[in-house]
Amino acid sequence: MISSQVIYKEIETLTTQLIETGLSEEQNFPSCVRFPNNIYKIAYSGMQDISIALKNVEYAEIYNELNKNKNYNIKMIDGALIQFLYTYENSSLISHRLAFFPSPNLEAFQNESEMYEMDEIYADIIAKNILPVPIRLDYDPKNYQEIDHPKCHLTLGQFKNCRIPVSSPITPLTFMSLILRSFYNTAFKKFTDKFPSSQNLFSETITDAEKKLLHINIVI
């Protein structure tokens, strides 16, 4: 089992790397708070209630509320918000929520693309045909139902029943690699030496039945 200290350090290192490469516009460094019964929650300094992210309201309202309250680890250069939330009981991971909330409005970049096209870190966000899609990677074994609610799953958009099985819980470095490779690919290639892949892997939680579905498999 990967310890909470390792997860905390990965988030701390990632935050520093994103600042150094100019990909982070604003940030909150990670925090770790101990609760009764040896519960440890890794989040970020100044974290507030994030329940709005699961409410049935317009996505722009969700984004604006999170942004207004600085409810994120990282705010990327295009306004996208990134959250790393892990909960441990003693030394065991009991849940995580890793989220990517892209800005619902990229017009400022797209309408003045000439201003940004010479800067590689903006190369992937100035196309006018981009449709921002929020992403969430949850490890939620308490609500596990085989196939319908895998222990670890990927949700695209805010679709209630979109739960693509994932082979195991995900480390911060692995999640950020997905985000950078997919949505900031030009910048990722430029700074690839600054974003090493994770050498940490959680134990597999996917079932044989879920492996028969289209799923995401994490290996080192």
Side-chain angles (χ1 to χ4, degrees):
M1 175 62 68
I2 302 171
S3 71
S4 59
Q5 292 91 340
V6 169
I7 293 298
Y8 182 96
K9 185 63 178 177
E10 279 200 11
I11 300 171
E12 188 177 55
T13 300
L14 264 175
T15 304
T16 300
Q17 290 169 331
L18 290 166
I19 294 170
E20 290 177 350
T21 55
L23 291 172
S24 174
E25 180 178 290
E26 294 185 46
Q27 56 281 320
N28 293 303
F29 275 86
S31 64
C32 184
V33 179
R34 181 178 179 178
F35 292 86
N37 301 317
N38 289 322
I39 300 295
Y40 298 85
K41 290 185 178 289
I42 299 173
Y44 42 85
S45 56
M47 179 182 173
Q48 301 178 40
D49 179 23
I50 61 169
S51 61
I52 189 172
L54 299 177
K55 291 182 178 179
N56 184 25
V57 297
E58 290 186 7
Y59 175 67
E61 183 178 344
I62 294 172
Y63 173 88
N64 290 335
E65 188 71 14
L66 294 174
N67 185 37
K68 179 182 70 175
N69 294 321
K70 299 186 182 298
N71 228 342
Y72 50 76
N73 287 84
I74 303 292
K75 181 178 181 180
M76 300 291 280
I77 52 165
D78 60 346
L81 311 179
I82 296 173
Q83 296 173 335
F84 303 104
L85 307 174
Y86 289 80
T87 303
Y88 277 77
E89 183 175 9
N90 295 311
S91 59
S92 298
L93 178 70
I94 59 174
S95 71
H96 75 45
R97 170 167 293 174
L98 313 177
F100 172 73
F101 295 99
S103 172
N105 185 1
L106 294 175
E107 290 181 0
F109 299 99
Q110 295 164 350
N111 290 342
E112 300 180 23
S113 58
E114 297 83 2
M115 293 177 57
Y116 299 99
E117 62 186 5
M118 298 304 294
D119 192 333
E120 293 168 311
I121 64 175
Y122 293 99
D124 296 283
I125 62 173
I126 59 176
K128 293 188 176 182
N129 60 351
I130 289 176
L131 177 65
V133 177
I135 291 175
R136 203 174 70 243
L137 257 163
D138 290 344
Y139 175 58
D140 184 20
K142 282 189 175 180
N143 292 304
Y144 164 71
Q145 294 180 17
E146 189 172 47
I147 295 180
D148 289 336
H149 196 292
K151 290 181 180 179
C152 191
H153 55 269
L154 170 69
T155 296
L156 302 175
Q158 295 291 91
F159 290 94
K160 179 180 178 181
N161 294 307
C162 176
R163 300 188 187 98
I164 302 167
V166 180
S167 61
S168 65
I170 303 298
T171 65
L173 279 176
T174 299
F175 180 67
M176 201 64 210
S177 176
L178 168 68
I179 299 303
L180 292 174
R181 289 175 182 274
S182 301
F183 308 117
Y184 306 89
N185 188 262
T186 305
F188 176 78
K189 289 180 178 178
K190 179 179 180 180
F191 300 116
T192 188
D193 59 317
K194 294 185 179 293
F195 295 104
S197 58
S198 178
Q199 298 304 306
N200 298 308
L201 184 66
F202 284 100
S203 299
E204 190 172 90
T205 58
I206 193 171
T207 67
D208 289 339
E210 290 165 352
K211 287 180 180 179
K212 294 178 181 178
L213 305 174
L214 180 66
H215 65 279
I216 297 174
N217 189 40
I218 308 298
V219 296
I220 293 180

